[in-house]
Amino acid sequence: EEGEREGVIGKLNRLLLSIKTRTSLFLAINPMKSLSWLAAPQQGAPLVRCASLTLSLSLLGRGWIPAAHAFTSPIRSKHKQRSCCSLSASNVPRIIFSDIDGSLVHYPKKNDLLSHEEDDGTEDNMILALPPSATGMRGIISSKTLSACRDLRTEGVVLVLVSGMRTSTLFNRLPYLPRADVYVTEAGGRIFYPTSDDDDNDVVNSFFQYAPLEYSGAREEDLELFGLREDMTWRTSLEEGGAGTEAYIGNEVDSNRCDGAENEEECLIDYEFSVGFPEEEVPVAGRSGSLWEYARQLEGEGFVLDTKSYSTCFRVNRKHQSGVVVDKFDALLAGDSSIGHNPREIGKSTNLGCIDYYPASSGKRNSCSYIANLLGIDMTTESVCICDDDNDIEMALACAQAYIPRLGSASMGDVVQRNPTKFIATFQEGVEATAATEEALRLIYDSVVVGAENETTKYAGMDNNDTIGPHFSKMAEDFSKLAEEIIAPLRKAFSSEET
């Protein structure tokens, strides 16, 4: 039955995910092809795939399978995998959560803005100027920052870009930003994964492809086209958590733009003028969910809201208020409960003199926790953060270490002073903006490489089977039991000749 088949596939997917995210476990089968076969059973025999999985686990537990191929996460399948032993070290970062504006991208004064053809006075470090945001801000990023992010991903570290920016702004900036494994917008409200032509399942291929901008030190693979697909599980949870569905209208990429396109260039977004959103946004009055009910309440008290291109949050900017509402804003910012009557199911964060509101289940910290859990990574011991401002504080405190290339506010400075072992400031006189970001990335890279070398040294000279067999025997036994539970209904579901 269809329902039973979907239940079986769900169990198999969870089994495969649990194996993949234990990154020290090696198997001699391809995880992504297994997932795609299971999702499309007409292409093969799922029972055979499952039996192969069980057999591989059994042989591995006895030390009979060489440690030649690693299960990898679907969002970093192209990157080098470290050895089983090096990844077991709790002090080696496995994932980086990085803010964008003020952390990777910096905003010099207009007179100091460098064009993308200039450099910072050092060899091979071009400074790229990004397109302006919806508010007219224009940032810069260095080639060394882009290369350093690439090098960390090559070492197997997952890179997640987490920003409060509008989704449309992210789409416009993608060619200038570091290639990442996950992109998060709207203060945690929307999560996207990159796709490429190598994906086995056509369903995950996005309608648009992005062409990274060339920079000093870029390699051929750094300039490959890629697309994006949204995490619909996360999206659905926020729709049900207060964001509703209407706010996404007008904030979706137009799938019709590529119909009839004769070449891929016709499907590229015009970054300077448009991001391919064809529909008119639904006004706040027409949006359902507790988030937009609260937005209407604030509008009723005279506040001017910024909802343009936001699907899961809205912003209240002090600069947009006038008259007595300015005083109300200051009270709102200070947390005065008599202003706005912020309901419990609505979360908020402050940034650059603005207040962002979103469902309480959203926010940077919650989205990062969701991603870490998805990958089986302990956020408290195996993650680091690069950040600069108030809306990053909860995310930073949830990570094992936080690097600060810039202090965006006095309150952020207070948090840094109260947690001296948690935060590492990489800026100083003569080392600021892009140079401070490069220093943060260098420190993270050193911790990754040194940690891996130290762990590998522990096992130098040990026989491969002596190390791997005993280490995984209990894990393989547990997985084999779970696999047997899955095989039983599969035998029943796929036993008839017709099937």
Side-chain angles (χ1 to χ4, degrees):
E1 297 295 331
E2 182 68 20
E4 184 178 8
R5 185 178 69 83
E6 290 181 356
V8 170
I9 291 174
K11 286 186 178 180
L12 278 167
N13 286 341
R14 287 193 293 275
L15 170 64
L16 290 171
L17 179 63
S18 68
I19 298 171
K20 287 184 300 179
T21 53
R22 286 162 173 78
T23 49
S24 59
L25 180 61
F26 288 83
L27 296 175
I29 60 177
N30 184 319
M32 293 311 298
K33 289 189 179 299
S34 299
L35 283 171
S36 64
W37 286 333
L38 291 167
Q42 69 275 12
Q43 297 177 6
L47 183 57
V48 175
R49 313 299 178 201
C50 189
S52 299
L53 171 63
T54 308
L55 177 62
S56 297
L57 286 165
S58 301
L59 294 177
L60 174 69
R62 293 165 175 76
W64 294 342
I65 293 182
H69 298 86
F71 256 114
T72 61
S73 161
I75 59 175
R76 58 190 183 102
S77 58
K78 289 186 176 181
H79 308 310
K80 183 179 79 175
Q81 301 299 306
R82 296 195 296 272
S83 71
C84 65
C85 307
S86 65
L87 277 176
S88 66
S90 60
N91 62 333
V92 178
R94 294 176 57 194
I95 190 167
I96 301 171
F97 297 108
S98 179
D99 174 49
I100 297 178
D101 291 334
S103 299
L104 296 180
V105 174
H106 296 272
Y107 291 85
K109 297 178 180 179
K110 289 185 178 179
N111 293 338
D112 297 330
L113 184 64
L114 300 174
S115 75
H116 68 277
E117 297 177 347
E118 298 183 73
D119 60 40
D120 67 350
T122 63
E123 292 184 2
D124 300 325
N125 194 18
M126 180 185 294
I127 302 296
L128 288 73
L130 279 68
S133 68
T135 58
M137 298 176 64
R138 193 172 190 192
I140 60 172
I141 190 169
S142 71
S143 291
K144 285 186 177 179
T145 295
L146 298 170
S147 296
C149 289
R150 187 260 330 279
D151 293 343
L152 280 162
R153 293 181 68 229
T154 300
E155 288 297 325
V157 180
V158 177
L159 176 62
V160 183
L161 301 188
V162 189
S163 176
M165 70 175 62
R166 309 162 209 268
T167 300
S168 60
T169 300
L170 171 72
F171 288 175
N172 275 323
R173 294 184 182 182
L174 271 177
Y176 302 83
L177 297 177
R179 288 289 292 269
D181 300 293
V182 191
Y183 300 86
V184 183
T185 62
E186 300 187 23
R190 300 183 73 173
I191 299 175
F192 298 89
Y193 306 104
T195 65
S196 71
D197 292 337
D198 294 335
D199 289 316
D200 292 327
N201 193 345
D202 292 336
V203 176
V204 301
N205 290 332
S206 63
F207 293 107
F208 288 92
Q209 290 195 323
Y210 302 87
L213 199 67
E214 189 168 0
Y215 60 90
S216 301
R219 300 171 184 168
E220 184 177 350
E221 59 268 24
D222 298 330
L223 306 179
E224 293 177 354
L225 298 177
F226 69 99
L228 290 182
R229 63 178 175 88
E230 187 164 8
D231 187 319
M232 298 306 293
T233 301
W234 178 253
R235 171 167 164 166
T236 300
S237 71
L238 292 192
E239 290 175 352
E240 297 171 351
T245 59
E246 296 84 358
Y248 291 93
I249 298 175
N251 291 312
E252 303 278 25
V253 175
D254 181 14
S255 61
N256 295 322
R257 179 166 177 167
C258 289
D259 289 350
E262 295 182 358
N263 54 60
E264 59 189 17
E265 283 74 14
E266 294 184 32
C267 289
L268 295 177
I269 289 177
D270 186 343
Y271 304 108
E272 191 170 355
F273 301 106
S274 169
V275 289
F277 296 157
E279 298 180 88
E280 291 293 329
E281 292 185 14
V282 175
V284 172
R287 300 183 183 186
S288 62
S290 57
L291 176 67
W292 306 111
E293 290 176 8
Y294 182 59
R296 289 188 287 271
Q297 180 182 330
L298 290 179
E299 285 184 330
E301 296 195 23
F303 287 96
V304 177
L305 309 184
D306 182 0
T307 62
K308 182 181 179 182
S309 294
Y310 286 118
S311 303
T312 61
C313 73
F314 66 86
R315 172 167 288 188
V316 185
N317 191 331
R318 192 180 195 279
K319 295 179 181 179
H320 296 169
Q321 316 308 317
S322 60
V324 295
V325 181
V326 175
D327 295 331
K328 281 188 176 183
F329 177 87
D330 292 336
L332 195 66
L333 188 62
D336 188 340
S337 59
S338 66
I339 305 294
H341 305 289
N342 186 14
R344 183 178 300 177
E345 62 267 27
I346 304 301
K348 71 174 183 178
S349 59
T350 59
N351 183 36
L352 302 174
C354 303
I355 309 174
D356 292 331
Y357 291 96
Y358 39 76
S361 56
S362 183
K364 288 190 173 184
R365 181 191 62 183
N366 289 340
S367 63
C368 292
S369 177
Y370 169 83
I371 294 166
N373 289 337
L374 192 67
L375 298 175
I377 294 175
D378 186 345
M379 189 171 172
T380 62
T381 61
E382 299 178 309
S383 70
V384 296
C385 175
I386 304 176
C387 58
D388 75 308
D389 215 333
D390 291 348
N391 66 338
D392 302 317
I393 291 175
E394 289 187 348
M395 172 178 69
L397 291 174
C399 293
Q401 196 87 64
Y403 295 82
I404 312 293
R406 167 186 173 272
L407 272 181
S409 66
S411 52
M412 183 63 167
D414 292 339
V415 173
V416 172
Q417 286 188 340
R418 291 196 301 268
N419 299 272
T421 60
K422 172 78 70 172
F423 293 90
I424 298 175
T426 60
F427 63 91
Q428 57 181 312
E429 185 176 355
V431 181
E432 54 190 16
T434 56
T437 297
E438 293 160 11
E439 175 65 9
L441 292 167
R442 183 191 67 78
L443 291 173
I444 296 172
Y445 184 85
D446 286 349
S447 68
V448 170
V449 173
V450 171
E453 289 175 350
N454 289 343
E455 283 299 301
T456 302
T457 301
K458 291 182 183 180
Y459 295 90
M462 295 183 67
D463 179 74
N464 187 55
N465 285 340
D466 289 343
T467 305
I468 296 211
H471 184 71
F472 293 132
S473 58
K474 180 63 171 63
M475 187 183 297
E477 181 181 350
D478 293 340
F479 282 139
S480 295
K481 290 179 180 178
L482 180 57
E484 182 59 34
E485 293 178 10
I486 298 171
I487 284 179
L490 271 175
R491 288 196 184 104
K492 176 181 177 182
F494 296 99
S495 61
S496 70
E497 293 183 5
E498 181 181 354
T499 304

PDB file of all heavy atoms in Angstrom, residues 449-474:
ATOM      1  N   VAL A 449      42.676  21.904  11.251  1.00  0.00           N
ATOM      2  CA  VAL A 449      43.824  21.134  10.772  1.00  0.00           C
ATOM      3  C   VAL A 449      44.631  20.569  11.940  1.00  0.00           C
ATOM      4  O   VAL A 449      44.989  19.391  11.958  1.00  0.00           O
ATOM      5  CB  VAL A 449      44.715  22.009   9.873  1.00  0.00           C
ATOM      6  CG1 VAL A 449      45.998  21.261   9.509  1.00  0.00           C
ATOM      7  CG2 VAL A 449      43.968  22.410   8.620  1.00  0.00           C
ATOM      8  N   VAL A 450      44.908  21.391  12.942  1.00  0.00           N
ATOM      9  CA  VAL A 450      45.695  20.936  14.088  1.00  0.00           C
ATOM     10  C   VAL A 450      44.945  19.851  14.848  1.00  0.00           C
ATOM     11  O   VAL A 450      45.510  18.835  15.252  1.00  0.00           O
ATOM     12  CB  VAL A 450      46.030  22.121  15.028  1.00  0.00           C
ATOM     13  CG1 VAL A 450      46.658  21.611  16.316  1.00  0.00           C
ATOM     14  CG2 VAL A 450      46.964  23.093  14.330  1.00  0.00           C
ATOM     15  N   GLY A 451      43.625  20.050  15.030  1.00  0.00           N
ATOM     16  CA  GLY A 451      42.832  19.043  15.728  1.00  0.00           C
ATOM     17  C   GLY A 451      42.833  17.717  15.005  1.00  0.00           C
ATOM     18  O   GLY A 451      42.953  16.655  15.611  1.00  0.00           O
ATOM     19  N   ALA A 452      42.749  17.762  13.680  1.00  0.00           N
ATOM     20  CA  ALA A 452      42.757  16.537  12.885  1.00  0.00           C
ATOM     21  C   ALA A 452      44.106  15.835  12.985  1.00  0.00           C
ATOM     22  O   ALA A 452      44.181  14.615  13.124  1.00  0.00           O
ATOM     23  CB  ALA A 452      42.425  16.863  11.437  1.00  0.00           C
ATOM     24  N   GLU A 453      45.178  16.624  12.938  1.00  0.00           N
ATOM     25  CA  GLU A 453      46.510  16.029  13.015  1.00  0.00           C
ATOM     26  C   GLU A 453      46.735  15.386  14.380  1.00  0.00           C
ATOM     27  O   GLU A 453      47.297  14.296  14.485  1.00  0.00           O
ATOM     28  CB  GLU A 453      47.562  17.105  12.750  1.00  0.00           C
ATOM     29  CG  GLU A 453      47.594  17.570  11.302  1.00  0.00           C
ATOM     30  CD  GLU A 453      48.570  18.718  11.094  1.00  0.00           C
ATOM     31  OE1 GLU A 453      49.063  19.266  12.114  1.00  0.00           O
ATOM     32  OE2 GLU A 453      48.832  19.066   9.929  1.00  0.00           O
ATOM     33  N   ASN A 454      46.289  16.047  15.442  1.00  0.00           N
ATOM     34  CA  ASN A 454      46.477  15.495  16.787  1.00  0.00           C
ATOM     35  C   ASN A 454      45.742  14.176  16.954  1.00  0.00           C
ATOM     36  O   ASN A 454      46.269  13.227  17.540  1.00  0.00           O
ATOM     37  CB  ASN A 454      45.972  16.497  17.833  1.00  0.00           C
ATOM     38  CG  ASN A 454      46.874  17.713  17.953  1.00  0.00           C
ATOM     39  OD1 ASN A 454      48.018  17.682  17.510  1.00  0.00           O
ATOM     40  ND2 ASN A 454      46.352  18.776  18.546  1.00  0.00           N
ATOM     41  N   GLU A 455      44.527  14.100  16.440  1.00  0.00           N
ATOM     42  CA  GLU A 455      43.763  12.867  16.590  1.00  0.00           C
ATOM     43  C   GLU A 455      44.339  11.741  15.750  1.00  0.00           C
ATOM     44  O   GLU A 455      44.351  10.596  16.152  1.00  0.00           O
ATOM     45  CB  GLU A 455      42.302  13.125  16.206  1.00  0.00           C
ATOM     46  CG  GLU A 455      41.514  13.848  17.262  1.00  0.00           C
ATOM     47  CD  GLU A 455      41.457  13.054  18.557  1.00  0.00           C
ATOM     48  OE1 GLU A 455      40.961  11.903  18.513  1.00  0.00           O
ATOM     49  OE2 GLU A 455      41.905  13.551  19.582  1.00  0.00           O
ATOM     50  N   THR A 456      44.797  12.096  14.551  1.00  0.00           N
ATOM     51  CA  THR A 456      45.376  11.078  13.681  1.00  0.00           C
ATOM     52  C   THR A 456      46.637  10.495  14.310  1.00  0.00           C
ATOM     53  O   THR A 456      46.907   9.306  14.219  1.00  0.00           O
ATOM     54  CB  THR A 456      45.695  11.674  12.304  1.00  0.00           C
ATOM     55  OG1 THR A 456      44.502  12.210  11.735  1.00  0.00           O
ATOM     56  CG2 THR A 456      46.254  10.611  11.372  1.00  0.00           C
ATOM     57  N   THR A 457      47.430  11.344  14.979  1.00  0.00           N
ATOM     58  CA  THR A 457      48.662  10.905  15.614  1.00  0.00           C
ATOM     59  C   THR A 457      48.402   9.835  16.675  1.00  0.00           C
ATOM     60  O   THR A 457      49.194   8.914  16.869  1.00  0.00           O
ATOM     61  CB  THR A 457      49.376  12.105  16.258  1.00  0.00           C
ATOM     62  OG1 THR A 457      49.651  13.078  15.245  1.00  0.00           O
ATOM     63  CG2 THR A 457      50.688  11.676  16.910  1.00  0.00           C
ATOM     64  N   LYS A 458      47.252   9.926  17.367  1.00  0.00           N
ATOM     65  CA  LYS A 458      46.932   8.951  18.406  1.00  0.00           C
ATOM     66  C   LYS A 458      46.918   7.530  17.859  1.00  0.00           C
ATOM     67  O   LYS A 458      47.260   6.576  18.545  1.00  0.00           O
ATOM     68  CB  LYS A 458      45.548   9.256  19.005  1.00  0.00           C
ATOM     69  CG  LYS A 458      45.469  10.514  19.835  1.00  0.00           C
ATOM     70  CD  LYS A 458      44.052  10.649  20.385  1.00  0.00           C
ATOM     71  CE  LYS A 458      43.868  11.924  21.163  1.00  0.00           C
ATOM     72  NZ  LYS A 458      42.479  12.039  21.686  1.00  0.00           N
ATOM     73  N   TYR A 459      46.471   7.411  16.597  1.00  0.00           N
ATOM     74  CA  TYR A 459      46.264   6.084  16.035  1.00  0.00           C
ATOM     75  C   TYR A 459      47.372   5.677  15.062  1.00  0.00           C
ATOM     76  O   TYR A 459      47.232   4.710  14.350  1.00  0.00           O
ATOM     77  CB  TYR A 459      44.906   6.034  15.330  1.00  0.00           C
ATOM     78  CG  TYR A 459      43.776   6.197  16.283  1.00  0.00           C
ATOM     79  CD1 TYR A 459      43.279   7.459  16.581  1.00  0.00           C
ATOM     80  CD2 TYR A 459      43.200   5.099  16.911  1.00  0.00           C
ATOM     81  CE1 TYR A 459      42.239   7.624  17.480  1.00  0.00           C
ATOM     82  CE2 TYR A 459      42.161   5.250  17.814  1.00  0.00           C
ATOM     83  CZ  TYR A 459      41.685   6.519  18.093  1.00  0.00           C
ATOM     84  OH  TYR A 459      40.654   6.681  18.984  1.00  0.00           O
ATOM     85  N   ALA A 460      48.452   6.441  15.019  1.00  0.00           N
ATOM     86  CA  ALA A 460      49.540   6.125  14.104  1.00  0.00           C
ATOM     87  C   ALA A 460      50.128   4.757  14.441  1.00  0.00           C
ATOM     88  O   ALA A 460      50.390   4.434  15.588  1.00  0.00           O
ATOM     89  CB  ALA A 460      50.626   7.201  14.199  1.00  0.00           C
ATOM     90  N   GLY A 461      50.308   3.947  13.420  1.00  0.00           N
ATOM     91  CA  GLY A 461      50.923   2.647  13.599  1.00  0.00           C
ATOM     92  C   GLY A 461      49.967   1.529  13.964  1.00  0.00           C
ATOM     93  O   GLY A 461      50.358   0.381  14.012  1.00  0.00           O
ATOM     94  N   MET A 462      48.698   1.870  14.242  1.00  0.00           N
ATOM     95  CA  MET A 462      47.734   0.824  14.590  1.00  0.00           C
ATOM     96  C   MET A 462      47.202   0.163  13.341  1.00  0.00           C
ATOM     97  O   MET A 462      47.008   0.807  12.314  1.00  0.00           O
ATOM     98  CB  MET A 462      46.570   1.420  15.389  1.00  0.00           C
ATOM     99  CG  MET A 462      46.979   1.979  16.735  1.00  0.00           C
ATOM    100  SD  MET A 462      45.558   2.590  17.663  1.00  0.00           S
ATOM    101  CE  MET A 462      44.696   1.062  17.979  1.00  0.00           C
ATOM    102  N   ASP A 463      46.980  -1.113  13.420  1.00  0.00           N
ATOM    103  CA  ASP A 463      46.436  -1.854  12.279  1.00  0.00           C
ATOM    104  C   ASP A 463      45.018  -1.383  11.991  1.00  0.00           C
ATOM    105  O   ASP A 463      44.233  -1.142  12.900  1.00  0.00           O
ATOM    106  CB  ASP A 463      46.428  -3.349  12.589  1.00  0.00           C
ATOM    107  CG  ASP A 463      45.846  -4.152  11.439  1.00  0.00           C
ATOM    108  OD1 ASP A 463      46.541  -4.300  10.432  1.00  0.00           O
ATOM    109  OD2 ASP A 463      44.690  -4.608  11.578  1.00  0.00           O
ATOM    110  N   ASN A 464      44.696  -1.271  10.697  1.00  0.00           N
ATOM    111  CA  ASN A 464      43.383  -0.732  10.312  1.00  0.00           C
ATOM    112  C   ASN A 464      42.227  -1.545  10.891  1.00  0.00           C
ATOM    113  O   ASN A 464      41.301  -1.006  11.487  1.00  0.00           O
ATOM    114  CB  ASN A 464      43.268  -0.707   8.787  1.00  0.00           C
ATOM    115  CG  ASN A 464      42.011  -0.013   8.325  1.00  0.00           C
ATOM    116  OD1 ASN A 464      41.760   1.131   8.689  1.00  0.00           O
ATOM    117  ND2 ASN A 464      41.212  -0.699   7.516  1.00  0.00           N
ATOM    118  N   ASN A 465      42.288  -2.879  10.758  1.00  0.00           N
ATOM    119  CA  ASN A 465      41.196  -3.716  11.249  1.00  0.00           C
ATOM    120  C   ASN A 465      41.125  -3.705  12.773  1.00  0.00           C
ATOM    121  O   ASN A 465      40.052  -3.778  13.360  1.00  0.00           O
ATOM    122  CB  ASN A 465      41.355  -5.154  10.755  1.00  0.00           C
ATOM    123  CG  ASN A 465      40.977  -5.269   9.286  1.00  0.00           C
ATOM    124  OD1 ASN A 465      40.276  -4.414   8.765  1.00  0.00           O
ATOM    125  ND2 ASN A 465      41.474  -6.308   8.642  1.00  0.00           N
ATOM    126  N   ASP A 466      42.305  -3.619  13.441  1.00  0.00           N
ATOM    127  CA  ASP A 466      42.305  -3.553  14.902  1.00  0.00           C
ATOM    128  C   ASP A 466      41.608  -2.295  15.391  1.00  0.00           C
ATOM    129  O   ASP A 466      41.013  -2.268  16.462  1.00  0.00           O
ATOM    130  CB  ASP A 466      43.751  -3.570  15.434  1.00  0.00           C
ATOM    131  CG  ASP A 466      44.389  -4.942  15.251  1.00  0.00           C
ATOM    132  OD1 ASP A 466      43.624  -5.903  15.037  1.00  0.00           O
ATOM    133  OD2 ASP A 466      45.622  -5.035  15.327  1.00  0.00           O
ATOM    134  N   THR A 467      41.713  -1.225  14.605  1.00  0.00           N
ATOM    135  CA  THR A 467      41.095   0.045  15.001  1.00  0.00           C
ATOM    136  C   THR A 467      39.620   0.073  14.657  1.00  0.00           C
ATOM    137  O   THR A 467      38.781   0.433  15.479  1.00  0.00           O
ATOM    138  CB  THR A 467      41.792   1.223  14.280  1.00  0.00           C
ATOM    139  OG1 THR A 467      43.182   1.158  14.547  1.00  0.00           O
ATOM    140  CG2 THR A 467      41.234   2.550  14.771  1.00  0.00           C
ATOM    141  N   ILE A 468      39.285  -0.349  13.444  1.00  0.00           N
ATOM    142  CA  ILE A 468      37.928  -0.137  12.954  1.00  0.00           C
ATOM    143  C   ILE A 468      36.950  -1.201  13.429  1.00  0.00           C
ATOM    144  O   ILE A 468      35.854  -0.882  13.847  1.00  0.00           O
ATOM    145  CB  ILE A 468      37.944  -0.090  11.420  1.00  0.00           C
ATOM    146  CG1 ILE A 468      38.760   1.098  10.991  1.00  0.00           C
ATOM    147  CG2 ILE A 468      36.539  -0.053  10.861  1.00  0.00           C
ATOM    148  CD1 ILE A 468      38.377   1.752   9.740  1.00  0.00           C
ATOM    149  N   GLY A 469      37.360  -2.483  13.413  1.00  0.00           N
ATOM    150  CA  GLY A 469      36.423  -3.537  13.776  1.00  0.00           C
ATOM    151  C   GLY A 469      35.805  -3.367  15.155  1.00  0.00           C
ATOM    152  O   GLY A 469      34.598  -3.206  15.285  1.00  0.00           O
ATOM    153  N   PRO A 470      36.614  -3.341  16.221  1.00  0.00           N
ATOM    154  CA  PRO A 470      36.040  -3.196  17.570  1.00  0.00           C
ATOM    155  C   PRO A 470      35.304  -1.879  17.756  1.00  0.00           C
ATOM    156  O   PRO A 470      34.300  -1.817  18.456  1.00  0.00           O
ATOM    157  CB  PRO A 470      37.280  -3.272  18.480  1.00  0.00           C
ATOM    158  CG  PRO A 470      38.312  -3.959  17.669  1.00  0.00           C
ATOM    159  CD  PRO A 470      38.068  -3.561  16.257  1.00  0.00           C
ATOM    160  N   HIS A 471      35.788  -0.832  17.122  1.00  0.00           N
ATOM    161  CA  HIS A 471      35.207   0.495  17.324  1.00  0.00           C
ATOM    162  C   HIS A 471      33.768   0.546  16.854  1.00  0.00           C
ATOM    163  O   HIS A 471      32.934   1.248  17.423  1.00  0.00           O
ATOM    164  CB  HIS A 471      36.043   1.534  16.574  1.00  0.00           C
ATOM    165  CG  HIS A 471      35.591   2.941  16.789  1.00  0.00           C
ATOM    166  ND1 HIS A 471      35.777   3.593  18.002  1.00  0.00           N
ATOM    167  CD2 HIS A 471      34.965   3.808  15.980  1.00  0.00           C
ATOM    168  CE1 HIS A 471      35.293   4.810  17.914  1.00  0.00           C
ATOM    169  NE2 HIS A 471      34.795   4.979  16.707  1.00  0.00           N
ATOM    170  N   PHE A 472      33.440  -0.233  15.802  1.00  0.00           N
ATOM    171  CA  PHE A 472      32.120  -0.120  15.203  1.00  0.00           C
ATOM    172  C   PHE A 472      31.228  -1.340  15.441  1.00  0.00           C
ATOM    173  O   PHE A 472      30.108  -1.378  14.971  1.00  0.00           O
ATOM    174  CB  PHE A 472      32.238   0.090  13.694  1.00  0.00           C
ATOM    175  CG  PHE A 472      32.844   1.415  13.323  1.00  0.00           C
ATOM    176  CD1 PHE A 472      33.869   1.484  12.395  1.00  0.00           C
ATOM    177  CD2 PHE A 472      32.389   2.575  13.923  1.00  0.00           C
ATOM    178  CE1 PHE A 472      34.429   2.711  12.064  1.00  0.00           C
ATOM    179  CE2 PHE A 472      32.946   3.792  13.584  1.00  0.00           C
ATOM    180  CZ  PHE A 472      33.967   3.869  12.668  1.00  0.00           C
ATOM    181  N   SER A 473      31.718  -2.358  16.154  1.00  0.00           N
ATOM    182  CA  SER A 473      30.945  -3.588  16.253  1.00  0.00           C
ATOM    183  C   SER A 473      29.600  -3.358  16.923  1.00  0.00           C
ATOM    184  O   SER A 473      28.568  -3.854  16.455  1.00  0.00           O
ATOM    185  CB  SER A 473      31.743  -4.641  17.021  1.00  0.00           C
ATOM    186  OG  SER A 473      32.067  -4.148  18.309  1.00  0.00           O
ATOM    187  N   LYS A 474      29.583  -2.600  18.023  1.00  0.00           N
ATOM    188  CA  LYS A 474      28.319  -2.340  18.716  1.00  0.00           C
ATOM    189  C   LYS A 474      27.393  -1.482  17.844  1.00  0.00           C
ATOM    190  O   LYS A 474      26.185  -1.725  17.752  1.00  0.00           O
ATOM    191  CB  LYS A 474      28.602  -1.625  20.048  1.00  0.00           C
ATOM    192  CG  LYS A 474      27.324  -1.308  20.849  1.00  0.00           C
ATOM    193  CD  LYS A 474      26.588  -2.580  21.250  1.00  0.00           C
ATOM    194  CE  LYS A 474      25.461  -2.290  22.227  1.00  0.00           C
ATOM    195  NZ  LYS A 474      24.413  -1.437  21.687  1.00  0.00           N
TER     196      LYS A 474
END
